[in-house]
Each structure stands twice: as structure tokens, then as C-alpha cells.
Amino acid sequence: MDLKKIHNIYFIGIGGIGMSAIARYFKASGKQVSGYDKTQTDITNSLQDLGVTVCFEDAMANVEGCYLDSESTLVVYTPAVPKSHLQLTYFKNNGFTVLKRSEILGLITEHTFCLAVAGTHGKTTTTSILGHLLNECNVKLTAFLGGISENYNSNLILNGDKVSVVEADEFDRSFLTLSPDMACITSMDADHLDIYGDASELIKTFEDFTRKLKPNGKLFVKNGLPLNGITYGIEDDADYTAQNIRIENGAYVFDVKTPETVFKDFKFNLPGRHNLSNALVALAMSIEYGISGPQLVAALASYLGVKRRFTYQIKTDDLVFIDDYAHHPEEINAVHQAVREMYPKDKVVAVFQPHLFSRTKDFAVEFGKSLSQFDEVILLDIYPARELPIEGVTSEWLLSLIDNENKKLVSKTDLISSIKQSSAKIVLTIGAGDIGVEVAKIKKALINED
């Protein structure tokens, strides 16, 4: 497909974090952009501010006339949209070119030097660090992010079309549409078992992804993963390692040992060894791309993070409120490690909203163990997202698997009062559902309390 001949692009699920980045890209490229989403959010509002028309009712009457020409219109949809969606059905049945989000990302990036970030955890943070490093070092790039960058207040970094930086999403095997020049794999923990069935099938698909690299492409893998590539790790024997790690004024300071040399005194402002690992592979990819060590030292120091990735909402001597997107047991473990490293002596209350009935079912025991580590746990009902309930899979069941005397299940209406009853200095909200909507309300209530 020649994207230059396409004038109109209609997005079904335009409010998704990945979809909206592509919508922004096409709008900036001079295309007519419109779309549907089921809910009005900050993301849809920001798109409307750019002049993108968004409708919230699934009916063809809401689609503007210019998007009804199958010759000049491309339709992009997210797999999260049900197959029964009326607009999607119409476009599929009436001769339109209809592509998944991952397919259009493959088309956009195929004529660029593409750096792709894959893994079951850490994709968004790593992609945003890599995009920021290259942008700060004046590389002409477009970076599609799976979160809102604090540096750019956007999920798109647009500074040219020579290089593209993308998240390579394993959900429904989306990343197999990419053909990167460089790729990294941060982790291969079991996830999306509703798609893959078991962990071995997930690993096989990651192996398939490594074969999508262009000839002479470079693969970076976290040390210990069962794949061949350039390795990276923390204080170990990998090809790229972070060494001499210390904490100064709440930030990591560390050296990077490469296969050829050592670059000293990188400063990184995000807590947690998992984030340090994400920064390391972004640095490794940047160095292999050709950026000098001193340039990268300055670039990394200015990186601010991604919204809902260990984001400080309140940070005072008496109270700390942190919000994080963690929705898998390993991600909760990583957040716990970061909190304990930064606040080793303080009491922590974790507010968790499980995401998906299937994920809760598949990892119930692991969720129980990861949540048991906190001093206190407040559990919300499961956020269903794209799923129907599964019999017996409830937050009451999950609560019974948490080995912690200080635990309770609450409704959203009682959430703020439950948090206020806690004596914990550290308040942590975690989850990938609509718990993010509650964050501003919790912050306001805690500030007014003071």
C-alpha cells in the first residue's frame, strides 16, 4: 500500500494509547483523521484539540462523508474492538482497506531505520527512554510510545522520518508485522495466556519475532533469556552492564561498561532496578546506533519518565503518593523493589485493581504473593476490559490468596475513605484499568487532608 495516496484515515478505537499516537502522526502528516471510541477521555480530548473528529456512538451515521470513499480512505482498528462492531463490519464488507494497528505501524516504519522494543514488561518505559535519547542527540526520528511521556506530554515524538522507534507488542502476535533494524527483548514472562494458551507458545512467538530482524540487524536481550544476541544486565557479565551503582539525591548514578570501553557517571531519575535495566538497554541500542557516550550522559539526565510509570503524585516529608501501571505479578514485584529501595523504613499501602478476569485466573497465586509483600493491601473489583466474567474469578477470591492481615476489598466509592484510614506514609495505586481515573481524586483528597 502507498500511504501517500491515502487522504483519509478512520480509526476504530482511536482513544487507545497506541492508536492515538498513530492518529497524531497522520494528522501531523497532513491527512484527514477521524475515529470512534467508546469513552471520552483525556486522550480523545487532546485529539479533538488537534482538530480530529471523534465520535462515541457506534453508528455509520456518525462517520463523516469523506471517509465513505473506499479509494481514498484507510481504516485502522484495534483488536480490542469486538468483531460485532457496526462501523468495523461496514468497512470490512464494503471494499475498504482495513488494517490492524500493528499492520499500519509496519507500513509506516518499513522505509525507515527501525528500532523496536519488545518484552512482556518494560516496553513503554524503554521505548520512551530510547526515543528521548535519540531525539536529544538530534537524530531525525519518529517515536510511537505506549504511554504519555513526561518530557513531551505526548505519546508521539516527531522530529523527522529517518529513524522510527516503536513498541513491538506481543499481544495477539502484533509485533510479527515489524521488520526492525535493531530490536531488544526485555523479558519473556508468561502473559496473555488467553491468546497463547501456555508460556512455551509465547516464547516461540518471541523467537519468531527475532527472525523478523532485517539482514545484519542487531538483537539485544536481557542477560539470562534463552535467546542469542547482544546481552545487557545489572552488575553482571553481560556485553553491556551497569556498574558502580549508587543512589544520590533520589536518583541512580552509574557507569556503563560496553564491549569496548566504560562510560562513567550516568544519572537516571527513575527508581527501581527494572527501570535501570530499561535505561541500560536504551543506552546500548543508542551506542550501537552510533551516539557517543558523553552525549548520552547529558540526554539521560534530562529524562523525566512516563505517566503512570512510578509517577509521584505527592512527595513530601510526611506523605508520598505514587501511581503505577503495574498489572502483572512481576511488575508488582518490581514496583515493590523500587519502593523498598527508596523508602526502606516506611509503611506502604498498596491499592490494586486487577486487570482482566483471564489474567487474574492465570496468575492468582502469583498475584497473592506479590501483593502480600506490602504492609497493607486495598483491593478493588476486577476491571474487565475486553472480557466477560469467568465463574469463580473474583476479587474476593484473589483477596483470600493474599497472605497479609492488613487487607480488604473496597468499592471505588469507599476507596478514598479507606486510604485515609491507613497510617501508611507511602500510598501506592497500581493497575492497568480505570484506576488511573481515581488518581486525581485521591490526590486532591490527600492534599486537602493536609
Side-chain angles (χ1 to χ4, degrees):
M1 167 178 278
D2 186 355
L3 291 176
K4 291 177 182 174
K5 294 181 180 177
I6 296 295
H7 303 294
N8 310 312
I9 305 175
Y10 192 83
F11 289 82
I12 300 176
I14 197 168
I17 194 71
M19 290 280 278
S20 60
I22 300 172
R24 284 174 176 273
Y25 167 80
F26 280 123
K27 183 66 177 174
S29 303
K31 309 288 188 186
Q32 289 257 60
V33 178
S34 182
Y36 159 89
D37 208 273
K38 64 179 180 180
T39 310
Q40 184 173 355
T41 63
D42 289 344
I43 290 176
T44 60
N45 290 342
S46 66
L47 288 171
Q48 288 173 315
D49 289 344
L50 292 174
V52 175
T53 304
V54 182
C55 68
F56 301 98
E57 184 184 349
D58 178 21
M60 286 308 298
N62 294 323
V63 180
E64 295 171 274
C66 63
Y67 298 95
L68 300 178
D69 175 9
S70 61
E71 293 296 315
S72 61
T73 298
L74 169 67
V75 179
V76 183
Y77 74 101
T78 170
V81 171
K83 291 187 173 72
S84 59
H85 194 276
L86 297 176
Q87 291 180 354
L88 182 60
T89 301
Y90 175 88
F91 287 122
K92 282 185 172 181
N93 291 342
N94 285 277
F96 286 78
T97 300
V98 181
L99 298 178
K100 286 184 184 178
R101 178 182 68 88
S102 56
E103 292 173 316
I104 193 67
L105 206 51
L107 282 173
I108 292 169
T109 61
E110 68 179 350
H111 299 303
T112 68
F113 189 96
C114 179
L115 296 93
V117 177
T120 44
H121 322 299
K123 287 188 295 293
T124 297
T125 301
T126 304
T127 306
S128 70
I129 297 170
L130 181 58
H132 178 70
L133 293 176
L134 296 177
N135 189 60
E136 284 290 292
C137 296
N138 299 313
V139 174
K140 299 303 178 188
L141 90 161
T142 301
F144 297 91
L145 312 179
I148 304 298
S149 162
E150 297 279 9
N151 287 86
Y152 306 95
N153 195 33
S154 177
N155 50 358
L156 179 71
I157 305 172
L158 192 56
N159 186 30
D161 57 7
K162 180 183 176 185
V163 171
S164 56
V165 177
V166 297
E167 286 192 32
D169 190 359
E170 75 281 359
F171 175 70
D172 85 342
R173 298 176 174 84
S174 289
F175 58 4
L176 298 182
T177 60
L178 299 171
S179 299
D181 297 89
M182 286 187 185
C184 75
I185 296 177
T186 63
S187 50
M188 296 194 305
D189 293 308
D191 199 5
H192 302 303
L193 298 186
D194 54 325
I195 302 291
Y196 288 98
D198 61 50
S200 63
E201 188 64 24
L202 178 71
I203 291 170
K204 178 180 174 294
T205 306
F206 273 104
E207 291 170 347
D208 291 341
F209 171 68
T210 67
R211 290 188 276 273
K212 300 295 290 185
L213 275 166
K214 288 174 185 167
N216 303 314
K218 292 183 178 181
L219 177 68
F220 300 75
V221 296
K222 189 169 185 179
N223 206 12
L225 292 180
L227 296 168
N228 293 321
I230 300 168
T231 57
Y232 69 97
I234 306 294
E235 296 177 325
D236 61 11
D237 60 351
D239 298 317
Y240 282 81
T241 61
Q243 300 180 333
N244 190 24
I245 301 165
R246 56 265 191 215
I247 295 176
E248 297 179 6
N249 299 320
Y252 285 118
V253 180
F254 63 101
D255 303 335
V256 174
K257 178 180 173 293
T258 79
E260 280 81 36
T261 187
V262 176
F263 297 113
K264 291 187 173 294
D265 296 333
F266 284 91
K267 182 183 176 186
F268 183 56
N269 292 303
L270 266 61
R273 291 290 174 118
H274 62 300
N275 283 322
L276 188 57
S277 178
N278 296 334
L280 177 63
V281 70
L283 289 167
M285 294 175 80
S286 300
I287 290 166
E288 293 285 337
Y289 178 75
I291 308 296
S292 73
Q295 276 184 291
L296 291 170
V297 170
L300 187 65
S302 65
Y303 176 74
L304 300 176
V306 178
K307 289 180 181 177
R308 298 217 66 226
R309 303 306 195 278
F310 212 93
T311 302
Y312 283 99
Q313 299 291 332
I314 300 173
K315 192 177 185 182
T316 68
D317 292 339
D318 303 318
L319 177 66
V320 175
F321 174 24
I322 299 163
D323 177 45
D324 195 276
Y325 189 70
H327 55 283
H328 184 282
E330 288 301 321
E331 294 169 352
I332 294 172
N333 288 336
V335 170
H336 176 263
Q337 182 274 324
V339 170
R340 291 299 184 206
E341 187 173 44
M342 291 295 156
Y343 305 99
K345 297 177 181 177
D346 294 312
K347 184 177 177 182
V348 181
V349 55
V351 180
F352 178 56
Q353 181 190 46
H355 184 261
L356 298 178
F357 294 104
S358 59
R359 184 181 283 124
T360 305
K361 175 176 173 285
D362 291 335
F363 302 107
V365 172
E366 292 85 351
F367 274 123
K369 287 179 180 176
S370 63
L371 292 167
S372 297
Q373 301 173 96
F374 297 99
D375 299 299
E376 190 178 338
V377 180
I378 297 174
L379 199 61
L380 294 171
D381 283 329
I382 298 170
Y383 182 78
R386 56 186 177 269
E387 294 184 336
L388 295 172
I390 298 174
E391 188 175 351
V393 179
T394 64
S395 284
E396 288 92 339
W397 173 57
L398 179 57
L399 190 75
S400 71
L401 299 175
I402 299 172
D403 183 15
N404 190 320
E405 291 182 0
N406 300 310
K407 63 180 181 180
K408 56 184 172 181
L409 175 64
V410 305
S411 65
K412 282 185 191 167
T413 53
D414 295 329
L415 178 56
I416 288 174
S417 62
S418 295
I419 293 171
K420 285 188 170 186
Q421 288 166 18
S422 171
S423 61
K425 175 183 170 180
I426 316 297
V427 177
L428 177 66
T429 47
I430 43 180
D434 60 2
I435 188 171
V437 177
E438 304 301 312
V439 169
K441 303 173 193 173
I442 295 168
K443 179 178 179 178
K444 183 178 179 182
L446 292 177
I447 289 173
N448 289 343
E449 187 180 62
D450 291 348

